[in-house]
């Protein structure tokens, strides 16, 4: 055996010596493994379906579904929409069946409710009326109250309210709408002294004095109310228009507010001739509030016939409320009283009828 070499016997003896050494650990080595879960790829099901032979099945519109509920014209087919997909099996082969439904185009995508109501004072009956129309144009106004209407109409500055459409009527402007434009300017600068003491804030304050003075008036007839308005309110309104007329070179929202007030001036001054006119149309806006809240829940009417039905029922319900009726009991009475075989006496079912008031009144 040459120097520097060891025998197999010496190697085995050294291994045994090492195995009995108390400083040497005899525990087996533990290997650590990191398990990474793979994220499931999106679109796998779609890819599997696309890989199969395709069979398209189109459900066609038939019968009444091919015609518009409102005008009766045949609808135009503009395409098809994939409704769902289903895997089916035939001998030795799978295939994917695609289910489509035809998509039709409606001529009217946005329509409107119009609302009108009797004034709170000096009226014969308390009435709320809702009208469905596909437009916000001035042609709708005569359809609601008639082209020969000779009374007064409180309205905002919407361009549809044209004197030409109601040549015999009197249009009056809402002071709240005028004041709101000045208040919005002050609201923008809430906390900023420069806006709280601005021309807009002063204009809003002057209009507020008119409302406070109106609240303190006492009268018994419309003529007496108009006379007291001329005595106490007219100087305040004159001062408001003098003030905004002297503002030099207004810009931005202030200019918009001033121009709006000046454009409505002639209509605003009608309150001094017609005592039955209110200063604002808040009464009517409160009546339409349920429609604006409700549409957030049901979003829209499916058909024009459904929108017309909504307007009819809003008219019944809001008019019943104005006449202090128990709405649910009153509507149940109406629905149970009418049949196709009888001609009802309509006047006996009106909300202000004495018998209706006796049965369903809340007071």
């Amino acid at each position: 055996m040459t120097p520097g070499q060891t025998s197999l016997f010496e190697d085995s003896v050294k291994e045994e010596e090492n195995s009995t050494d108390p400083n040497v650990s005899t525990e087996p080595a533990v290997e650590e493994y990191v398990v990474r879960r793979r994220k499931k790829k999106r679109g796998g099901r779609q890819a599997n379906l696309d890989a199969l032979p395709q069979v398209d099945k189109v459900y066609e519109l038939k019968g009444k579904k091919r015609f518009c509920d409102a005008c009766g014209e045949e609808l135009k087919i503009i395409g098809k929409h994939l409704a769902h997909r289903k895997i089916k099996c035939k001998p030795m082969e799978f295939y994917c069946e695609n289910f489509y439904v035809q998509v039709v185009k409606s001529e009217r995508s946005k329509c409107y409710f119009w609302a009108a109501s009797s004034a709170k004072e000096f009226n014969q009956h308390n009435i709320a009326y809702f009208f469905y129309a596909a437009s916000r144009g001035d042609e709708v106004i005569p359809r609601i109250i008639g082209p020969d209407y000779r009374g007064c109409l409180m309205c905002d500055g919407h361009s549809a309210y044209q004197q030409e459409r109601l040549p015999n009527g009197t249009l009056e402007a809402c002071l709240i709408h005028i004041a709101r434009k000045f208040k919005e300017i002050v609201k923008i600068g809430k906390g900023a002294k420069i806006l709280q003491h601005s021309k807009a804030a002063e204009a809003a304050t002057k209009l507020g004095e008119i409302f406070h003075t109106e609240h303190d008036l006492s009268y018994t007839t419309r003529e007496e109310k108009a006379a007291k308005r001329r005595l106490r309110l007219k100087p305040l309104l004159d001062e408001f228009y003098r003030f905004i007329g002297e503002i030099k070179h207004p810009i931005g929202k202030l200019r918009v507010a001033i121009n709006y007030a000046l454009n409505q001036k002639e209509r605003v001054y009608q309150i001094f001739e017609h005592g039955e006119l209110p200063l604002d149309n808040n009464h009517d806006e409160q009546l339409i509030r349920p429609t604006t809240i409700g549409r957030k829940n049901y979003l829209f009417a499916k058909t024009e016939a459904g929108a017309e039905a909504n307007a009819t029922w809003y008219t019944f319900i809001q008019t019943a409320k104005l006449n202090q009726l128990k709405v649910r009991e009153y509507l149940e009475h109406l629905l149970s009283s009418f049949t196709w075989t009888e001609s009802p006496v309509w006047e006996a079912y009106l909300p202000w009828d004495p018998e209706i008031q006796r049965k369903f009144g809340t007071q």
Side-chain angles (χ1 to χ4, degrees):
M1 190 164 54
T2 60
Q5 292 181 338
T6 59
S7 66
L8 293 176
F9 175 77
E10 289 176 338
D11 291 339
S12 63
V13 171
K14 289 181 180 180
E15 289 179 3
E16 289 180 2
E17 290 176 351
N18 292 336
S19 64
T20 58
D21 188 349
N23 296 324
V24 179
S25 174
T26 58
E27 296 181 2
V30 178
E31 295 185 9
E32 295 183 357
Y33 295 91
V34 179
V35 180
R36 293 184 175 87
R37 294 186 178 182
R38 295 182 179 178
K39 292 183 179 180
K40 192 173 182 179
K41 293 183 179 180
R42 295 180 177 271
R45 181 178 181 276
Q46 180 74 24
N48 292 334
L49 292 175
D50 291 342
L52 295 172
Q54 306 293 309
V55 175
D56 291 346
K57 185 174 183 180
V58 180
Y59 287 102
E60 297 182 355
L61 295 178
K62 297 180 180 180
K64 295 182 179 180
K65 293 183 179 180
R66 293 187 62 87
F67 299 90
C68 177
D69 294 335
C71 63
E73 294 185 2
E74 186 173 0
L75 298 171
K76 299 177 181 179
I77 305 301
I78 62 171
K80 60 183 181 178
H81 172 71
L82 179 60
H84 64 278
R85 311 179 80 183
K86 182 187 295 184
I87 297 178
K88 290 189 174 182
C89 177
K90 60 183 180 180
M92 302 302 294
E93 185 180 352
F94 288 96
Y95 65 96
C96 180
E97 189 171 34
N98 306 310
F99 294 83
Y100 290 88
V101 291
Q102 290 179 337
V103 179
V104 298
K105 180 180 180 180
S106 174
E107 297 295 332
R108 298 170 180 175
S109 59
K110 192 174 184 180
C111 301
Y112 303 89
F113 273 150
W114 292 71
S117 65
S118 55
K120 296 181 69 173
E121 294 182 312
F122 309 116
N123 61 45
Q124 186 177 2
H125 298 296
N126 292 317
I127 300 173
Y129 180 63
F130 288 80
F131 185 82
Y132 160 78
S135 168
R136 293 188 70 205
D138 58 356
E139 73 280 359
V140 180
I141 308 296
R143 293 169 56 193
I144 298 176
I145 58 178
D148 297 327
Y149 179 72
R150 297 180 179 275
C152 299
L153 180 65
M154 157 71 69
C155 54
D156 58 20
H158 179 41
S159 59
Y161 299 107
Q162 298 293 332
Q163 190 67 62
E164 292 76 12
R165 289 291 186 175
L166 298 173
N168 301 316
T170 300
L171 299 180
E172 195 250 336
C174 172
L175 268 180
I176 285 290
H177 281 79
I178 295 176
R180 188 177 297 161
K181 294 187 179 299
F182 292 100
K183 289 181 178 180
E184 287 175 352
I185 300 173
V186 181
K187 189 176 181 180
I188 292 174
K190 188 175 181 181
K193 294 182 179 180
I194 188 173
L195 287 180
Q196 290 181 352
H197 301 282
S198 64
K199 299 292 186 181
E202 191 171 349
T205 301
K206 292 182 181 296
L207 288 174
E209 294 175 359
I210 297 175
F211 285 98
H212 289 306
T213 305
E214 167 90 356
H215 184 266
D216 294 335
L217 295 180
S218 59
Y219 47 84
T220 56
T221 65
R222 67 185 70 185
E223 292 78 16
E224 184 181 4
K225 183 178 181 180
K228 290 193 174 183
R229 278 177 168 175
R230 288 192 292 270
L231 180 64
R232 299 188 58 186
L233 267 65
K234 190 173 184 300
L236 298 176
L237 192 60
D238 291 342
E239 169 60 21
F240 165 75
Y241 274 104
R242 182 202 63 78
F243 173 75
I244 64 174
E246 293 179 353
I247 297 177
K248 302 298 183 181
H249 310 296
I251 60 174
K253 290 182 177 294
L254 181 59
R255 182 175 62 183
V256 173
I258 292 175
N259 289 340
Y260 181 84
L262 293 174
N263 291 336
Q264 300 297 307
K265 181 177 180 179
E266 182 179 350
R267 294 182 180 181
V268 169
Y269 273 76
Q270 293 294 337
I271 61 174
F272 304 121
E273 302 298 328
H274 305 276
E276 68 273 20
L277 285 171
L279 296 184
D280 56 71
N281 64 353
N282 280 359
H283 175 61
D284 196 59
E285 291 195 353
Q286 290 172 359
L287 292 175
I288 66 175
R289 188 174 300 277
T291 66
T292 59
I293 295 175
R295 71 185 178 194
K296 294 181 180 179
N297 296 325
Y298 54 73
L299 298 182
F300 48 80
K302 185 177 181 181
T303 63
E304 290 190 83
E308 292 173 355
N310 283 348
T312 299
W313 285 109
Y314 276 128
T315 299
F316 276 121
I317 293 171
Q318 294 300 83
T319 302
K321 287 182 179 179
L322 288 178
N323 289 273
Q324 290 80 46
L325 296 181
K326 300 174 184 176
V327 178
R328 183 182 181 88
E329 289 83 348
Y330 174 61
L331 294 181
E332 289 177 348
H333 176 66
L334 292 181
L335 295 173
S336 62
S337 299
F338 291 95
T339 64
W340 291 105
T341 58
E342 298 180 4
S343 297
V345 180
W346 298 101
E347 290 77 5
Y349 295 91
L350 295 175
W352 45 84
D353 180 79
E355 186 64 18
I356 293 294
Q357 285 287 325
R358 186 186 67 83
K359 288 183 178 180
F360 309 107
T362 59
Q363 297 180 351

